[in-house]
């Protein structure tokens, strides 16, 4: 987002230069108009005879009418700011594409569903009970002029685009909510500026979209009423009127449409309810777990001088947090070094042996070799001492960034089914999850079967076993990355393989 904001500033400066070129042309035209109007000034003052008595004035007018107007014709047709237009065209490939918008829209939808937020609240900047504002700093040519608070909110255009995206995904109920939010946004005080109004959709378009949505939900009377509201806003729009007549005829002559999509939406809502409490940190952990923290002084001789801080979250399956593993400077170094290499996250298909972009995951990532530099080697060695596992049998680090509404839906980290094991194919015995940034709101790691919620703690590492002591998949370790509400979530994962750990995995006392 930082690079995108920088690009936006560059494009704004390019637009400013284009406006300057237009202003220069307008100034030239106005100056010519003033010069021409001076001739008429003499005539208006009743001095016509004296003015035309000079052959110079007559010649000047004839020359002007024969020559200057040809110049003005050419000058008016001459394009302005072609180099600025060319620059804008060259930057279009760097702008967000359709799939970028769809990722962001999916993130907002996931965030809304899991945390139970209304579209109107999100549109007003009220996110899960917290009202957000942003500080707008006005800087012109390097000089700070002023700064003031404005509410973080969605315009009617942004609400409508989300509604259309959801309609295309057959999520009619959610789409309807966003269209209503768009109608409400049109009346908000913070959307009444000239630029907002210039880009805002007409109220008639929002009502028309609402009508189409409601008819698809078999809300026939509501749909016709929405069409009537659209016509009231645009009474002379023949296309609206024709569409309304067709809809009215269809309602009277055709049976209702039976949609399975609404049932699907209700099922999704029920699933979201299962995770809402945990993602908010309100899950009740079983007191029998007897959770506690310890200082580990035995895993390595060094830990006798600087004990390892270990927080026990679960004993079966074994889940712990190692605290204060990655320093502030090290976290910055990892983020900075990875930023320019991030691409859409993918998953590995064991059947085809290929990677593909996963629709259940909205993030970008990059892979880093364990020994690519002294920092990655250090973090590998530290975790080998802390876990007792052989890191020579582990995958590369994967640095991951979750942006707008970033989510990783419920999944297992294992690659194999139990019936496919013990044939020489390796699987992920354990997972290391490094937290590389602070997350103001959202973004927790949740283990639904354990009612266990782990919020990102910068510098800490979450560790758990994916396989039980028999080497089979531990069904209690399915987990999800809750949608991000505010901030940018940076994590780094390392999966440790089972082959090579036969004599290294410590026994866990139950």
């Amino acid at each position: 987002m930082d690079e995108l904001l920088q690009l936006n500033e560059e494009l704004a400066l390019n637009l400013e230069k284009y406006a300057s070129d237009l202003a220069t042309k307008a100034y030239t035209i106005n100056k010519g108009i003033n010069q021409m109007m001076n001739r008429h000034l003499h005539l208006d003052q009743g001095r016509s005879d004296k003015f035309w008595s000079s052959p110079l004035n007559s010649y000047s007018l004839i020359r002007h009418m024969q020559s200057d107007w040809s110049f003005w014709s050419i000058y008016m047709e001459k394009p302005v700011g072609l180099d600025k237009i060319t620059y804008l065209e060259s930057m279009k490939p760097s702008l967000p594409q359709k799939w970028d918008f769809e990722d962001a829209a999916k993130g907002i939808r996931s965030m809304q569903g899991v945390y139970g937020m209304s579209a109107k609240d999100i549109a007003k900047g009220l996110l899960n009970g917290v009202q957000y504002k942003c500080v707008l700093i006005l800087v012109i040519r390097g000089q700070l002029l002023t700064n003031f608070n404005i509410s973080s909110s969605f315009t009617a255009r942004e609400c409508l685009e989300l509604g259309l995206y959801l309609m295309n995904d057959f999520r009619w109920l959610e789409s309807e909510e966003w269209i209503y939010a768009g109608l409400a946004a049109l009346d908000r005080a913070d959307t009444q500026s000239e630029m907002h109004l210039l880009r805002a959709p007409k109220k008639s378009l929002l009502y028309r979209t609402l009508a189409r949505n409601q008819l698809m939900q078999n809300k026939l009377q509501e749909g016709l009423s929405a069409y009537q509201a659209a016509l009231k806003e645009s009474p002379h729009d023949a296309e609206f009127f024709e569409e309304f007549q067709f809809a009215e005829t269809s309602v009277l002559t055709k049976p209702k449409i039976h949609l399975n999509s609404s049932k699907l939406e209700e099922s999704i809502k029920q699933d979201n309810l299962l995770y809402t409490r945990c993602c908010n940190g309100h899950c009740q952990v079983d007191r029998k777990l007897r959770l506690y923290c310890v200082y580990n002084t035995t895993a390595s001789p060094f830990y006798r001088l600087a004990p390892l801080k270990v927080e026990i979250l679960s004993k079966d399956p074994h889940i712990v947090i190692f605290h204060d593993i990655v320093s502030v400077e090290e976290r910055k170094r990892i983020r900075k070094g990875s930023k320019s290499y991030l691409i859409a996250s993918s998953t590995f298909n064991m059947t085809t042996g290929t990677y593909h972009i996963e629709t259940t995951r909205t993030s970008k990532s990059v892979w880093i070799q364990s020994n690519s530099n002294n920092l990655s080697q250090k973090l590998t060695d530290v975790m080998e001492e802390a876990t007792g596992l052989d890191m020579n049998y582990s995958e590369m680090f994967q640095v991951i960034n979750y942006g707008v509404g970033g989510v990783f839906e419920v999944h297992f980290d294992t690659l194999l089914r139990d019936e496919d094991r013990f044939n020489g194919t390796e699987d992920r015995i354990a997972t290391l999850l490094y937290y590389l940034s602070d997350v103001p709101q959202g973004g927790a790691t949740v283990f639904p079967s354990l009612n266990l919620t782990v919020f990102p703690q910068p510098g800490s590492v979450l560790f758990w076993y994916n396989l039980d002591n028999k080497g089979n998949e531990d069904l209690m370790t399915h987990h999800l990355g809750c949608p991000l509400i505010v901030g940018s979530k940076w994590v780094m994962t390392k999966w440790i393989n089972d082959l090579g750990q036969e004599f290294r995995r410590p026994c866990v006392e139950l």
Side-chain angles (χ1 to χ4, degrees):
M1 301 305 295
D2 294 336
E3 286 81 0
L4 197 60
L5 189 60
Q6 177 65 33
L7 176 58
N8 190 59
E9 182 181 6
E10 293 171 2
L11 291 174
L13 290 173
N14 181 67
L15 191 61
E16 182 183 22
K17 294 175 183 176
Y18 180 70
S20 177
D21 289 348
L22 292 175
T24 300
K25 185 170 184 177
Y27 173 79
T28 302
I29 293 173
N30 284 323
K31 190 174 181 179
I33 292 171
N34 290 331
Q35 291 175 348
M36 289 183 279
M37 293 303 293
N38 284 334
R39 290 191 174 91
H40 295 274
L41 184 63
H42 292 284
L43 299 177
D44 293 341
Q45 294 175 349
R47 298 161 56 185
S48 175
D49 294 342
K50 292 182 179 180
F51 185 79
W52 295 124
S53 63
S54 170
L56 299 181
N57 291 336
S58 300
Y59 169 80
S60 177
L61 179 62
I62 293 171
R63 187 214 58 78
H64 164 69
M65 297 298 290
Q66 184 274 329
S67 176
D68 286 354
W69 280 110
S70 296
F71 160 77
W72 285 117
S73 175
I74 295 171
Y75 188 74
M76 290 168 67
E77 292 178 352
K78 185 179 179 180
V80 177
L82 284 179
D83 56 329
K84 281 73 177 182
I85 298 173
T86 301
Y87 173 75
L88 176 58
E89 289 294 326
S90 70
M91 289 293 103
K92 281 185 177 180
S94 301
L95 297 176
Q97 304 301 311
K98 181 182 178 181
W99 51 85
D100 293 306
F101 164 75
E102 290 176 349
D103 270 355
K106 181 181 179 183
I108 295 294
R109 175 182 63 76
S110 299
M111 180 179 71
Q112 179 185 1
V114 168
Y115 296 104
M117 293 183 277
S118 72
K120 285 186 179 180
D121 283 346
I122 296 175
K124 291 187 296 185
L126 181 60
L127 305 180
N128 207 24
V130 180
Q131 179 65 57
Y132 282 92
K133 294 181 180 294
C134 62
V135 179
L136 182 64
I137 301 175
L138 184 59
V139 179
I140 297 182
R141 294 179 177 86
Q143 183 178 0
L144 174 64
L145 297 185
T146 185
N147 65 78
F148 50 92
N149 289 326
I150 60 173
S151 61
S152 297
S153 58
F154 279 169
T155 64
R157 168 66 60 185
E158 288 157 349
C159 292
L160 176 61
E161 293 294 340
L162 258 171
L164 292 172
Y165 163 78
L166 293 166
M167 282 178 66
N168 289 334
D169 204 25
F170 307 108
R171 297 176 181 271
W172 309 106
L173 294 172
E174 297 173 60
S175 171
E176 181 181 9
E177 191 180 353
W178 276 104
I179 298 168
Y180 276 121
L183 287 166
L186 281 178
D187 299 326
R188 285 205 319 265
D190 62 332
T191 62
Q192 299 304 307
S193 67
E194 281 190 34
M195 187 52 64
H196 274 118
L197 295 175
L198 178 66
R199 287 287 296 135
K202 292 183 178 179
K203 189 172 286 190
S204 57
L205 175 60
L206 283 160
Y207 276 122
R208 183 187 191 184
T209 308
L210 178 63
R212 291 173 174 174
N213 179 298
Q214 290 175 332
L215 290 179
M216 289 302 296
Q217 296 183 68
N218 289 322
K219 297 179 179 179
L220 305 182
Q221 292 305 318
E222 292 94 328
L224 294 180
S225 296
Y227 268 125
Q228 290 171 340
L231 287 170
K232 185 177 180 181
E233 296 293 331
S234 300
H236 304 297
D237 193 312
E239 185 180 343
F240 277 18
F241 184 71
E242 183 179 355
E243 189 171 319
F244 167 68
Q245 284 189 315
F246 178 79
E248 189 174 38
T249 302
S250 298
V251 167
L252 294 174
T253 60
K254 294 182 180 179
K256 292 184 178 181
I257 304 171
H258 295 284
L259 299 175
N260 293 323
S261 55
S262 294
K263 292 182 179 180
L264 174 62
E265 285 184 303
E266 289 300 325
S267 174
I268 293 171
K269 284 186 176 181
Q270 293 300 318
D271 289 342
N272 285 335
L273 290 175
L274 297 176
Y275 309 127
T276 298
R277 289 183 60 81
C278 286
C279 284
N280 280 317
H282 297 154
C283 276
Q284 294 296 320
V285 179
D286 191 344
R287 294 295 97 191
K288 292 186 296 183
L289 291 176
R290 293 180 297 165
L291 309 183
Y292 54 92
C293 299
V294 298
Y295 281 105
N296 187 333
T297 60
T298 61
S300 165
F302 177 74
Y303 290 152
R304 295 180 182 179
L305 299 175
L308 180 66
K309 300 176 184 177
V310 185
E311 183 178 352
I312 312 296
L313 300 180
S314 170
K315 298 181 71 176
D316 184 20
H318 183 69
I319 305 175
V320 301
I321 297 179
F322 301 114
H323 289 283
D324 300 333
I325 299 298
V326 193
S327 69
V328 174
E329 291 303 318
E330 289 170 340
R331 298 197 297 269
K332 288 181 180 179
R333 180 178 165 187
I334 295 171
R335 295 197 303 266
K336 184 177 180 180
S338 305
K339 206 169 189 180
S340 58
Y341 300 102
L342 295 172
I343 60 173
S345 296
S346 58
T347 56
F348 185 71
N349 188 312
M350 288 291 292
T351 304
T352 62
T354 59
Y355 286 91
H356 67 282
I357 295 176
E358 181 56 65
T359 58
T360 61
R361 187 181 193 180
T362 52
S363 64
K364 292 187 175 182
S365 60
V366 61
W367 294 89
I368 300 175
Q369 291 283 356
S370 300
N371 58 355
S372 62
N373 54 56
N374 59 344
L375 176 55
S376 62
Q377 186 63 62
K378 172 197 168 185
L379 294 177
T380 300
D381 295 341
V382 168
M383 283 298 100
E384 177 163 339
E385 294 173 347
T387 64
L389 298 176
D390 191 342
M391 292 299 165
N392 289 315
Y393 302 94
S394 66
E395 299 182 28
M396 294 187 291
F397 288 108
Q398 187 184 31
V399 181
I400 309 168
N401 176 239
Y402 293 89
V404 179
V407 64
F408 197 171
E409 296 177 10
V410 179
H411 64 284
F412 288 96
D413 282 355
T414 51
L415 301 174
L416 302 175
R417 297 175 300 177
D418 285 346
E419 54 266 32
D420 297 328
R421 299 185 188 284
F422 314 118
N423 60 3
T425 304
E426 61 187 15
D427 202 357
R428 296 166 174 171
I429 189 175
T431 297
L432 290 165
L433 181 61
Y434 298 73
Y435 292 112
L436 302 179
S437 67
D438 189 18
V439 179
Q441 201 174 4
T445 305
V446 168
F447 296 83
S449 295
L450 301 170
N451 275 0
L452 179 61
T453 302
V454 184
F455 286 100
Q457 302 174 56
S460 297
V461 181
L462 181 63
F463 170 77
W464 69 90
Y465 281 109
N466 299 302
L467 304 179
D468 60 24
N469 286 328
K470 295 180 179 179
N472 291 318
E473 184 174 61
D474 194 325
L475 299 179
M476 302 293 283
T477 62
H478 73 290
H479 57 283
L480 71 146
C482 294
L484 186 68
I485 298 179
V486 174
S488 181
K489 177 183 174 183
W490 285 85
V491 297
M492 182 169 70
T493 58
K494 183 179 235 337
W495 289 288
I496 306 167
N497 297 324
D498 54 352
L499 299 187
Q501 312 298 339
E502 291 83 355
F503 303 103
R504 298 291 296 271
R505 177 175 182 177
C507 295
V508 181
E509 294 183 6
L510 301 178

